[in-house]
Amino acid sequence: MKTDTPKTKKFPRPVKVLFWLGGALVVYTAVGFLVAPAVIKSQLLKRLPAMLGRPVAVASVKVNPYALSLTVRGLAVNEKNGAPFAGFDEFYARLKYASFFQRGWAVQEISLTHPFAGLVRGQDGKLNFDDIAATLNPPASTPATASKSALPLVVIDSLHIDQADVSVEDFVPPTPVKFKLIPIHLLLDHLSTDPKARNPCSFTARSDTGEKFEWYGIFSLQPLQVSGHFKITGLDLKKYSPYLAPFASAGVTDGKVDLDANYDASLGTNGPDLSLENGNVLVRSLSVKSSDPSETVLTLSFLSVKLVQASLGKKLLHLALVKTSDGSLLARQNQDGTINLLSLLKLPANSLVAPPAAGASQAPWTIMVDEIAVDRYNVALEDKKPPKPAKFNLTGISFDA
């Protein structure tokens, strides 16, 4: 008796293809949502401490394989003593599917939320990240040959940094300088490494003392060129006065500065070039004391400078107006014949400039001032060199030139 063996049912080819695609989709989903985040987090925790020389913590990593996005939350880098060094609350990046069908990388968005950093310069002049720079840029064993390789094509629809927090501590000046910039916002739309691309950008920041920094412009990467408008409001001169110590024994005890201008900067084959146009500088409530804290040598209530153009390439400085009012000046000849105002300056030992080499030609700077206006100034003149010192005051000085 003959028994019929059951025949294995064969699925049609389209069904097999669907099975394979379904299995691949399951694997892709599992790897994307479950495996990739664990691998990325472990690699961050493994490589970053060795690269930065500091302990690193990462709260979570999330990958969405369908959105082609990566999210890293709670990255923190601490100093070896446990103090915060740098980090961020969240990093988010999302690729576009067009990256797989066109030349170059197409990125829909890159965002960084609340990045923070603590920058410190010690009394020896070393920065707290010098060791990181040395690790990332080791000295080359053989001289590197310059290459003009083009940057890979990358197009980013939106790149933005929000609520950044940077603290700065500088212990090099005789009086340490400490300040914070918070919050910092940076926005770049349609960023591209294409040499023909002109990339719009904006930057705003505010310091812990109310200073405001704004920058709007357009830049290109090849060649490196940037142009636009910048504005600084309420710059506190007293806070940055310690940086004058190498150049003057005077100290700024009060004063605010506002300044803005259109700018155009480039780095070409002939070196860097910088041009400023249509600028304004406003100084308010300036007070300068000598090395004797009880002696004020200069005060002014108001100083306004209107800039037409300042060009590094043309060696040109053109001012439309210099106007000041309600100021005072103390000028004195000391018993040894020195002038107090000149004595405030600290000239370096090598201040004498060597004459140019034979055949070398240097174009001089051209400085033009269209108008100078001084209103209601008082000048105190003292001469302590004669046996009988002299002293007299000039009040209410005003003139236009």
Side-chain angles (χ1 to χ4, degrees), residues 28 32-33 36-37 40 61-73 91-97 100 107-110:
Y28 177 75
F33 281 107
I40 293 174
V61 175
K62 179 182 177 182
V63 174
N64 187 328
Y66 299 120
L68 300 181
S69 67
L70 168 68
T71 304
V72 180
R73 293 192 176 99
F91 168 82
Y92 176 81
R94 182 175 181 179
L95 279 177
K96 299 170 72 174
Y97 281 97
F100 303 109
V107 182
Q108 180 172 322
E109 179 185 357
I110 295 178

Side-chain angles (χ1 to χ4, degrees), residues 206-288:
R206 188 181 295 271
S207 74
D208 52 345
T209 55
E211 300 159 318
K212 190 174 181 180
F213 306 87
E214 300 174 81
W215 167 50
Y216 308 95
I218 296 176
F219 74 94
S220 60
L221 297 176
Q222 293 180 311
L224 184 60
Q225 184 176 8
V226 59
S227 61
H229 184 82
F230 76 90
K231 183 177 182 180
I232 301 176
T233 307
L235 192 69
D236 188 350
L237 295 178
K238 179 181 178 180
K239 182 167 69 175
Y240 305 103
S241 176
Y243 289 114
L244 293 176
F247 313 103
S249 57
V252 179
T253 58
D254 196 9
K256 303 284 186 180
V257 174
D258 301 338
L259 62 153
D260 69 279
N262 298 327
Y263 66 89
D264 191 335
S266 62
L267 183 61
T269 55
N270 296 327
D273 191 17
L274 173 64
S275 177
L276 301 177
E277 294 183 350
N278 300 325
N280 296 279
V281 179
L282 176 62
V283 182
R284 295 171 279 116
S285 304
L286 177 67
S287 178
V288 180

Side-chain angles (χ1 to χ4, degrees), residues 30-362:
V31 170
F33 281 107
L34 302 176
V35 178
V39 172
I40 293 174
K41 183 176 180 179
S42 66
Q43 289 299 309
L44 290 175
L45 295 176
K46 176 183 177 181
R47 297 178 181 274
L48 287 181
M51 183 185 303
L52 304 178
R54 292 162 175 80
V56 176
V58 178
S60 66
V61 175
K62 179 182 177 182
V63 174
N64 187 328
Y66 299 120
L68 300 181
S69 67
L70 168 68
T71 304
V72 180
R73 293 192 176 99
L75 186 145
V77 183
N78 291 333
E79 294 285 9
K80 296 176 182 178
N81 60 5
F85 171 68
F88 55 78
D89 284 358
E90 180 180 283
F91 168 82
Y92 176 81
R94 182 175 181 179
L95 279 177
K96 299 170 72 174
Y97 281 97
S99 298
F100 303 109
F101 306 105
Q102 67 181 23
R103 182 175 65 92
W105 293 98
V107 182
Q108 180 172 322
E109 179 185 357
I110 295 178
S111 66
L112 195 60
T113 304
H114 190 214
F116 59 90
L119 307 180
V120 180
R121 187 168 69 149
Q123 291 182 336
D124 56 0
K126 293 182 179 180
L127 299 167
N128 62 334
F129 56 85
D130 281 346
D131 58 325
I132 299 176
T135 302
L136 299 179
N137 298 283
S141 56
T142 57
T145 57
S147 61
K148 293 186 178 181
S149 58
L151 293 173
L153 180 60
V154 179
V155 179
I156 304 173
D157 290 350
S158 176
L159 188 156
H160 53 98
I161 298 175
D162 300 312
Q163 299 293 330
D165 178 354
V166 176
S167 63
V168 178
E169 295 180 281
D170 192 351
F171 295 96
V172 170
T175 302
V177 177
K178 301 180 182 181
F179 61 92
K180 286 186 176 182
L181 294 176
I182 180 173
I184 301 173
H185 299 282
L186 175 66
L187 175 63
L188 295 95
D189 286 328
H190 308 294
L191 174 64
S192 174
T193 57
D194 188 329
K196 298 179 181 179
R198 301 281 287 170
N199 305 291
C201 54
S202 65
F203 170 88
T204 61
R206 188 181 295 271
S207 74
D208 52 345
T209 55
E211 300 159 318
K212 190 174 181 180
F213 306 87
E214 300 174 81
W215 167 50
Y216 308 95
I218 296 176
F219 74 94
S220 60
L221 297 176
Q222 293 180 311
L224 184 60
Q225 184 176 8
V226 59
S227 61
H229 184 82
F230 76 90
K231 183 177 182 180
I232 301 176
T233 307
L235 192 69
D236 188 350
L237 295 178
K238 179 181 178 180
K239 182 167 69 175
Y240 305 103
S241 176
Y243 289 114
L244 293 176
F247 313 103
S249 57
V252 179
T253 58
D254 196 9
K256 303 284 186 180
V257 174
D258 301 338
L259 62 153
D260 69 279
N262 298 327
Y263 66 89
D264 191 335
S266 62
L267 183 61
T269 55
N270 296 327
D273 191 17
L274 173 64
S275 177
L276 301 177
E277 294 183 350
N278 300 325
N280 296 279
V281 179
L282 176 62
V283 182
R284 295 171 279 116
S285 304
L286 177 67
S287 178
V288 180
K289 291 185 179 294
S290 68
S291 54
D292 180 0
S294 64
E295 181 180 72
T296 301
V297 294
L298 174 66
T299 64
L300 60 87
S301 176
F302 170 86
L303 170 65
S304 174
V305 179
K306 294 188 178 299
L307 171 72
V308 178
Q309 184 182 27
S311 173
L312 184 63
K314 296 179 181 179
K315 292 190 174 182
L316 171 66
L317 176 61
H318 184 186
L319 304 179
L321 173 66
V322 177
K323 184 177 181 179
T324 182
S325 63
D326 299 307
S328 65
L329 179 69
L330 171 62
R332 180 179 63 245
Q333 180 178 224
N334 298 314
Q335 288 183 339
D336 58 0
T338 59
I339 306 299
N340 69 322
L341 297 178
L342 297 179
S343 299
L344 297 178
L345 301 177
K346 296 180 180 179
L347 298 178
N350 56 350
S351 60
L352 297 178
V353 179
S361 61
Q362 281 191 334

